[in-house]
Amino acid sequence: MRIPATIFPGSISQNWKQWIKESTLQGQWQEVLSLYYEIRRIGIPILDPSLFPSVLKCCTNLNNFKYGTSVHSCIIKHGFESFSSVGNSTMDFYIKSGFMNYGLTVFNLMENKDSVTWNVVIHGCFDKKSSSKYEGLKFFKQAKAEGFKPNISTLVLILQALRDFSDTNLGFCFHGFLIRSGFLDVVSVQNSLMSLYVEYGEMVCAKMLFDEMSDRDCITWSAMIGGFVKAGDGYFSLQLFREMFGVEEVEPDELTVVSIFKACSQEKDIDIGKLVHCYAVKRGFNVDVYVGNSLVDMYSKCSHANLAFEVFKEMPERNIVSWNSILSGLVHNELYAKALTLFGSMQKEGVEADEVTLVNLLQSCKHLVDIGKCKSIHSRVIRMGFEFNELVVNSLIDAYAKCDLVELGQKLFNGMERRDMVSWSTMITAFSNAGKTDEALNLFREMVLVKEKFNSVTILSLLEVCAVSAELKRCKWAHGLAIRSGFASEVAVATALLDMYSKCGEIDLSRRVFDKTPNRNVVSWSAMIGAYGMNGRARDALDLFSEMEIYGLKPNAVTILCLLSACSHGGLVEEGKSLFNRLISSDHGFEPNSAHYSCMVDMLGRAGIIESAMDTIKKMPQRFKDGASIWGALLSACRNSSNSKVAEGAISKVLELEPMGSAGYLLGSSMYAANGLWKEAANMRRLVKEKGVKVVSGYSLIHVDSKACRFVARDGYHEKAQQIYSMVEELHGCMRMKEGRNDLFN
DNA sequence: TTAGGGTTAG
């Protein structure tokens, strides 16, 4: 290091001080420190404190904590610590080096605190890494009392920090302070306040602030658009975006289009998405990794997996979020095996997986119902040290449950150090899906007992559990709980409620829930139509559908399936047929799928019109002819009408298309038995055993006190089985006697 | 001392 020639002997020249200041501003920190080192080495006396702020700043930026402390001791030795500029810099150095406590010691010892002092300490408290945000608020209050004038950056930081507090009142109070102090005219403060309201979910306040603003910049618009996207109102954010285009002074940037892509995926509006994609390319935004990631996500969520992959391939820069986005996109589009393959490429490129990657992989395994792959990901989870990560473990529990390994899921759940709302909900759903209703309910009770909060998803699981157990008392309890917790007014919950009651046979209660549901959607209507169908009230189902059409609501595939099923079970063959024909020919845009055709075949079969059923199969599109359910429906029709000729063909079709499903064998066996073909019937049952086909048997539920007892035909698992069977015998005897007596009278 | 809005997941 060469010392500038213009140095006065014995002291530091003015030029030299200037050089230090400028070099610090230019980021030549090492050079400044070397010069300071020379000054100290030669022993040039330091007569004023003006060089210390620069030197300390260099130490901070170079992470040279040790040297900084020696500078601090030099400051003390010279008696310069009483200068507020030096004290402020020392404090800043300690705080930025991660030693908040040392910074606070300097702060407490300072005699001359100025506005900068307060700003520095408050900044320190609100640093992203800092954990003393609450302290920061206290300092702010104290500073205000001492007449301190905050600067814009401090105010912005406070507004950011307030997001971490759940107390919305703090935000409202601060808003008041900003008005009183006249700072609310500054755009960056307004933007930060608006974002705070967005974070609180107070969209009305955010929008009011937005409307009142006279100068809106790109950030204002983006924050507002992003806010509505976050609140789930993609439609309105797209409207705002159109409005923004009309304002000449502002132009959307990378951050704006990211929010717009998210809005498009929410609204499934691929047309606007493509348009904005073109705009982004024209403006050169597509090189931004955030923009690329959002595009991948948008195309995936709009079911355009190919386009998502194209964008992903063309991205100039990819990060872990890019990989996770495409993986989740593939999962979203049911391309599970492809997701697993792509993970292989990700590894080849040396990109390290994170928790989100693991969750995506587990999702794939779950849908593939592949126990081996689940276990292999599980071992990877352990190797990567994610064994105690709630997000990952929750997904593992879910995946194992879907693979029928509820016990393994339960083991993981029990071993969790920390469980969150999702852990509990996942486990409850797992029990529910496995038919373990008592376990599910007990777990929910435990969840309440340990004071874990629950959300509408938990309530949905709970309602499903109650629906499966079909016990009215339980259902009413769950309904009460849904009301008390404030979730009953949500459409999804209300729909689950009506479904639950219908499964208990309490169709009038279902209707009462339906009538009270606000913002009913196509799912609610379909559920109610389905409920009528399930309870044999086909006429009511058809009437409700007419009402739905009057409301102008478009039925979806499920609505129509529910209607056809209602007609099928209610024996309204003509009505079902005419409805089906009307929907195909009208401008509903309805294209029947294989389930609809199966339902039609089932309906005609139940009515004993096997020829028409066969005709339907002949006429339907070729691609549906290989669906096992179609032939299954025909087969059950044959069984009911003992049409063995058609049955033979149907049996072989079902067994060919679904060799591991139990339906074909069981229907076949019972049909042969009904026709006295005992050998063939036995053969069917032998095949079931030989092939290891899993038989799902029907069961009855009896509630004794608060316990549900499950009975499968001829099982002896109940502890009082013997007594039960002897009672059944006795009852049979009574019935025989009654029959006999009837005979006598007839 | 120095500031405001963005992407993936159960």
Side-chain angles (χ1 to χ4, degrees):
Chain A
M1 175 77 203
R2 230 166 53 85
I3 299 172
T6 49
I7 181 168
F8 283 120
S11 73
I12 304 169
S13 80
Q14 209 54 43
N15 288 352
W16 210 1
K17 283 181 197 159
Q18 193 62 35
W19 184 86
I20 288 178
K21 229 179 192 169
E22 277 170 18
S23 305
T24 309
L25 279 175
Q26 285 163 14
Q28 295 172 317
W29 304 312
Q30 194 55 60
E31 286 79 355
V32 174
L33 278 197
S34 306
L35 182 59
Y36 173 75
Y37 182 78
E38 282 298 306
I39 293 168
R40 299 285 298 138
R41 195 181 61 81
I42 300 169
I44 300 168
I46 302 169
L47 300 178
D48 72 77
S50 63
L51 90 157
F52 287 111
S54 298
V55 173
L56 282 166
K57 190 174 179 182
C58 295
C59 294
T60 312
N61 288 318
L62 292 169
N63 287 325
N64 197 337
F65 181 69
K66 216 167 157 190
Y67 203 63
T69 53
S70 92
V71 175
H72 186 195
S73 49
C74 178
I75 288 168
I76 295 170
K77 213 163 83 191
H78 283 80
F80 289 145
E81 76 268 35
S82 58
F83 287 85
S84 62
S85 62
V86 178
N88 292 339
S89 302
T90 317
M91 210 169 72
D92 188 52
F93 158 73
Y94 281 123
I95 293 176
K96 290 226 179 88
S97 306
F99 292 89
M100 189 69 196
N101 284 344
Y102 291 169
L104 287 180
T105 311
V106 176
F107 172 81
N108 289 329
L109 291 172
M110 275 173 77
E111 288 159 13
N112 309 311
K113 293 185 177 79
D114 58 12
S115 277
V116 177
T117 319
W118 289 106
N119 278 319
V120 170
V121 73
I122 294 169
H123 268 251
C125 292
F126 290 147
D127 187 89
K128 292 208 169 62
K129 287 172 276 175
S130 169
S131 54
S132 39
K133 297 203 167 156
Y134 191 69
E135 302 293 307
L137 285 188
K138 281 207 289 201
F139 276 123
F140 178 72
K141 215 170 154 189
Q142 200 182 334
K144 240 174 39 182
E146 293 188 20
F148 136 94
K149 282 210 165 35
N151 60 18
I152 308 297
S153 103
T154 306
L155 293 174
V156 166
L157 270 180
I158 292 175
L159 283 164
Q160 283 185 326
L162 283 173
R163 289 178 204 170
D164 293 346
F165 299 102
S166 50
D167 187 356
T168 47
N169 267 333
L170 283 175
F172 288 120
C173 289
F174 200 70
H175 187 167
F177 163 77
L178 291 173
I179 295 172
R180 288 194 303 279
S181 59
F183 278 111
L184 204 57
D185 297 337
V186 184
V187 183
S188 53
V189 174
Q190 287 174 320
N191 289 343
S192 307
L193 182 63
M194 213 175 72
S195 302
L196 178 66
Y197 281 133
V198 166
E199 184 72 32
Y200 286 164
E202 298 278 356
M203 290 313 288
V204 177
C205 295
K207 183 65 175 31
M208 258 159 71
L209 205 64
F210 177 82
D211 289 338
E212 282 167 10
M213 280 172 76
S214 48
D215 300 312
R216 298 180 194 136
D217 61 10
C218 170
I219 295 180
T220 320
W221 284 94
S222 306
M224 195 73 265
I225 289 171
F228 278 107
V229 175
K230 206 179 264 176
D233 195 344
Y235 182 77
F236 191 65
S237 56
L238 289 176
Q239 247 183 343
L240 271 179
F241 184 61
R242 279 189 207 102
E243 215 180 299
M244 180 186 185
F245 252 92
V247 184
E248 259 180 38
E249 307 86 69
V250 284
E251 271 201 328
D253 66 0
E254 285 91 335
L255 282 80
T256 329
V257 299
V258 163
S259 292
I260 288 304
F261 292 142
K262 203 169 179 184
C264 292
S265 38
Q266 268 177 20
E267 294 301 308
K268 303 273 176 285
D269 195 334
I270 192 71
D271 296 327
I272 300 222
K274 281 181 176 170
L275 225 61
V276 181
H277 185 179
C278 292
Y279 173 79
V281 172
K282 211 169 111 193
R283 300 267 323 261
F285 295 162
N286 51 327
V287 292
D288 183 295
V289 69
Y290 279 86
V291 172
N293 294 345
S294 324
L295 274 168
V296 168
D297 187 53
M298 178 191 75
Y299 282 126
S300 305
K301 294 218 171 112
C302 291
S303 312
H304 283 66
N306 290 342
L307 290 178
F309 203 74
E310 281 298 308
V311 174
F312 175 77
K313 262 196 332 210
E314 300 299 325
M315 278 172 79
E317 185 200 334
R318 287 182 205 140
N319 58 16
I320 180 69
V321 180
S322 323
W323 284 95
N324 289 339
S325 300
I326 189 69
L327 284 176
S328 97
L330 292 172
V331 171
H332 205 93
N333 287 283
E334 301 177 359
L335 298 164
Y336 311 117
K338 202 167 176 195
L340 295 178
T341 319
L342 194 73
F343 175 63
S345 320
M346 180 176 162
Q347 281 178 304
K348 264 186 214 148
E349 287 198 19
V351 185
E352 205 177 324
D354 70 357
E355 46 175 359
V356 182
T357 323
L358 292 170
V359 168
N360 282 322
L361 294 176
L362 283 167
Q363 284 279 307
S364 306
C365 304
K366 170 181 118 178
H367 286 108
L368 292 170
V369 197
D370 191 326
I371 298 174
K373 287 204 169 74
C374 279
K375 289 194 168 166
S376 119
I377 305 286
H378 190 173
S379 69
R380 189 183 289 274
V381 166
I382 297 170
R383 282 200 306 273
M384 287 173 66
F386 282 113
E387 218 178 333
F388 299 107
N389 179 306
E390 295 109 90
L391 174 73
V392 175
V393 178
N394 292 344
S395 305
L396 258 173
I397 296 175
D398 187 42
Y400 276 138
K402 290 274 156 46
C403 293
D404 245 357
L405 296 173
V406 192
E407 288 76 18
L408 209 50
Q410 192 181 7
K411 213 169 144 192
L412 284 171
F413 178 81
N414 292 338
M416 281 175 94
E417 280 181 349
R418 269 182 323 185
R419 298 174 190 137
D420 60 14
M421 193 195 281
V422 184
S423 324
W424 290 89
S425 303
T426 309
M427 199 61 234
I428 291 171
T429 313
F431 278 140
S432 158
N433 289 341
K436 300 190 167 194
T437 49
D438 285 341
E439 282 89 340
L441 277 174
N442 286 339
L443 197 63
F444 179 76
R445 289 200 186 97
E446 201 185 324
M447 182 180 184
V448 175
L449 217 64
V450 299
K451 295 200 166 57
E452 177 69 66
K453 271 192 189 160
F454 51 83
N455 62 6
S456 55
V457 179
T458 328
I459 294 289
L460 285 174
S461 304
L462 191 70
L463 295 178
E464 171 71 22
V465 172
C466 295
V468 171
S469 73
E471 192 197 345
L472 191 60
K473 206 171 140 196
R474 259 182 197 173
C475 293
K476 288 196 165 170
W477 162 77
H479 189 173
L481 195 96
I483 294 173
R484 287 195 298 280
S485 54
F487 295 117
S489 55
E490 282 185 26
V491 194
V493 175
T495 307
L497 277 169
L498 82 82
D499 180 65
M500 174 183 81
Y501 280 131
S502 86
K503 284 183 180 143
C504 297
E506 297 287 339
I507 189 74
D508 295 331
L509 286 178
S510 294
R511 184 60 199 242
R512 221 195 286 174
V513 173
F514 176 76
D515 287 337
K516 280 188 188 163
T517 308
N519 314 317
R520 285 177 300 210
N521 56 22
V522 64
V523 182
S524 331
W525 285 85
S526 308
M528 193 63 230
I529 291 171
Y532 276 134
M534 206 190 298
N535 285 273
R537 286 168 60 168
R539 288 266 168 229
D540 289 318
L542 287 172
D543 288 346
L544 194 66
F545 179 59
S546 309
E547 211 181 308
M548 181 180 174
E549 284 190 306
I550 293 169
Y551 267 88
L553 220 69
K554 210 178 141 193
N556 63 15
V558 178
T559 326
I560 292 163
L561 190 66
C562 289
L563 274 169
L564 293 177
S565 151
C567 292
S568 169
H569 290 94
L572 302 181
V573 185
E574 282 313 311
E575 287 83 346
K577 264 161 68 179
S578 78
L579 178 85
F580 188 74
N581 292 331
R582 177 166 74 87
L583 288 171
I584 294 178
S585 55
S586 72
D587 52 358
H588 266 101
F590 167 63
E591 258 190 63
N593 59 31
S594 72
H596 295 119
Y597 280 109
S598 301
C599 203
M600 284 304 287
V601 171
D602 183 61
M603 181 170 71
L604 296 164
R606 273 173 202 273
I609 326 172
I610 304 285
E611 292 72 29
S612 290
M614 286 290 287
D615 203 40
T616 308
I617 296 181
K618 265 185 212 145
K619 279 186 190 155
M620 72 186 189
Q622 188 61 39
R623 64 180 189 280
F624 296 141
K625 288 189 182 165
D626 280 343
S629 64
I630 304 268
W631 297 100
L634 186 67
L635 180 53
S636 67
C638 298
R639 188 190 57 176
N640 295 338
S641 63
S642 315
N643 188 331
S644 51
K645 213 176 104 198
V646 181
E648 280 292 342
I651 292 175
S652 63
K653 243 346 201 172
V654 174
L655 296 187
E656 174 200 326
L657 294 168
E658 210 178 50
M660 291 312 278
S662 62
Y665 300 97
L666 297 183
L667 278 171
S669 147
S670 74
M671 202 206 66
Y672 284 132
N675 289 331
L677 300 165
W678 305 110
K679 220 171 123 191
E680 282 81 356
N683 190 33
M684 284 284 142
R685 284 199 294 276
R686 183 180 57 79
L687 279 173
V688 170
K689 269 191 195 153
E690 269 179 22
K691 295 196 173 203
V693 172
K694 227 174 158 185
V695 180
V696 185
S697 34
Y699 59 84
S700 310
L701 267 186
I702 312 277
H703 295 279
V704 182
D705 297 328
S706 60
K707 217 175 157 225
C709 308
R710 219 164 104 148
F711 294 97
V712 180
R714 283 182 287 280
D715 78 24
Y717 296 125
H718 194 273
E719 50 186 7
K720 291 183 179 168
Q722 253 191 337
Q723 282 161 274
I724 292 170
Y725 278 113
S726 63
M727 176 54 85
V728 170
E729 267 313 305
E730 215 176 304
L731 288 171
H732 275 164
C734 289
M735 279 189 266
R736 273 195 290 271
M737 268 169 63
K738 206 176 165 195
E739 271 172 19
R741 229 180 27 214
N742 279 346
D743 284 347
L744 275 180
F745 285 117
N746 280 337

